[in-house]
């Protein structure tokens, strides 16, 4: 795919996102609303969204912010209270690591999340995907986080039939040429929205997709497989 084609993909997806972005409490659409996203809110939402749906997370996220509006507030929290607030989200190791991470941010980084992926990876509970997502969304770093939605979108765009685990590396390679230097966070969130709402596992709504004309799987008629 040429550089011009890649730029067209970037432009069309971001234009679609500016109109169709999901209204989520932790999200800041840069071009529409202006200003950077809050790293604390991005991190909190990403940890909560692991193994959990957006609809389930929203009320928990809201309650957490009411109780602990800043990372320094969470770092000072009692673990039992944090676990109580977490009840219903499951995977309680996430809640314990949430508290450990908040305390590490305060102790080791002066209460400010680091903006580099390698530093983020040193924090408890933050893996490769979460570090990439925070770097892109909160700090506008052109990183390549790949979750299930993004993997599916890119696999269809390039018609990648490679089975896991090799598929993940191939998707990341393609992502590294697609993520723009301008608005990388919005681009990553646009891919998430595209995968969750249009490029779904079954019966993808290809007619509504901003990438339909360039999608190799759509052209071959085998997007679902």
């Amino acid at each position: 795919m040429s550089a011009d084609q890649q730029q067209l993909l970037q432009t069309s997806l971001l234009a679609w996102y500016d109109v169709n972005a999901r209204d989520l409490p932790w999200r800041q659409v840069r071009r529409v609303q202006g200003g950077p996203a809050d790293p604390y809110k991005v991190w909190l939402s990403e940890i909560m969204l692991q193994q959990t749906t957006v609809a389930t997370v929203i009320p928990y996220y809201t309650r957490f912010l009411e109780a602990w509006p800043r990372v320094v507030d969470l770092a000072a929290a009692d673990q039992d209270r944090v676990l109580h607030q977490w009840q219903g989200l499951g995977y309680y190791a996430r809640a314990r690591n949430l508290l450990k991470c908040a305390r590490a941010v305060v102790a080791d980084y002066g209460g400010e999340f680091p903006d580099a992926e390698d530093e983020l990876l040193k924090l408890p509970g933050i893996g490769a995907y979460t570090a990439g997502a925070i770097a892109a969304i909160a700090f506008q770093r052109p990183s390549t986080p790949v979750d299930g939605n993004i993997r599916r979108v890119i696999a269809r765009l390039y018609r990648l039939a490679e089975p896991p685990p090799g598929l993940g590396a191939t998707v990341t390679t393609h992502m590294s040429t697609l993520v723009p230097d301008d608005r990388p966070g919005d681009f990553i969130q646009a891919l998430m929205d595209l995968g969750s709402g249009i490029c779904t596992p079954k019966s993808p709504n290809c007619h509504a997709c901003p990438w339909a004309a360039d999608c190799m799987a759509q052209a071959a008629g085998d997007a679902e497989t």
Side-chain angles (χ1 to χ4, degrees):
M1 190 173 288
S2 70
D4 286 343
Q5 288 174 304
Q6 290 168 356
Q7 187 172 15
L8 285 173
L9 288 172
Q10 294 165 358
T11 301
S12 61
L13 183 62
L14 286 169
W16 173 84
Y17 181 69
D18 285 339
V19 175
N20 297 284
R22 286 179 292 178
D23 183 13
L24 302 175
W26 51 82
R27 179 171 283 180
Q28 184 86 337
V29 182
R30 241 180 134 209
R31 179 164 295 175
V32 176
Q33 298 175 2
D38 183 338
Y40 173 59
K41 294 178 180 179
V42 173
W43 162 74
L44 181 61
S45 66
E46 288 295 336
I47 299 300
M48 287 186 166
L49 286 165
Q50 295 170 6
Q51 310 289 330
T52 315
T53 65
V54 168
T56 299
V57 163
I58 288 175
Y60 284 90
Y61 171 85
T62 302
R63 288 195 294 269
F64 258 75
L65 276 190
E66 289 172 351
W68 305 292
R70 302 170 301 160
V71 68
V72 293
D73 301 317
L74 181 57
D78 177 75
Q79 179 172 281
D80 288 342
R81 188 181 174 204
V82 172
L83 292 174
H84 179 74
Q85 288 275 46
W86 193 270
Q87 276 185 333
L89 275 177
Y91 301 97
Y92 282 85
R94 290 184 296 161
R96 295 185 182 93
N97 280 330
L98 195 79
L99 187 55
K100 290 178 184 177
C101 183
R103 289 172 176 171
V105 168
V106 170
D108 300 335
Y109 296 95
E112 301 288 340
F113 278 86
D115 61 359
E117 286 183 71
D118 58 346
E119 291 296 318
L120 288 163
L121 282 168
K122 296 177 182 177
L123 293 168
I126 294 184
Y129 166 77
T130 305
I134 294 170
I137 298 168
F139 298 108
Q140 299 304 311
R141 306 293 188 194
S143 59
T144 56
V146 176
D147 67 356
N149 283 320
I150 292 175
R151 182 165 50 246
R152 183 170 59 257
V153 171
I154 299 301
R156 285 173 173 167
L157 177 65
Y158 292 97
R159 199 166 180 253
L160 305 174
E162 187 177 357
L167 176 62
T170 305
V171 167
T172 299
T173 298
H174 284 295
M175 282 277 289
S176 66
T177 67
L178 273 180
V179 178
D181 291 332
D182 179 46
R183 300 182 70 196
D186 285 351
F187 188 83
I188 294 300
Q189 292 178 108
L191 282 175
M192 295 173 183
D193 283 9
L194 193 66
S196 66
I198 290 180
C199 194
T200 50
K202 296 182 179 180
S203 303
N205 185 12
C206 297
H207 296 296
C209 179
W211 282 357
D214 300 286
C215 180
M216 296 180 186
Q218 159 71 357
D222 59 1
E224 283 200 50
T225 58

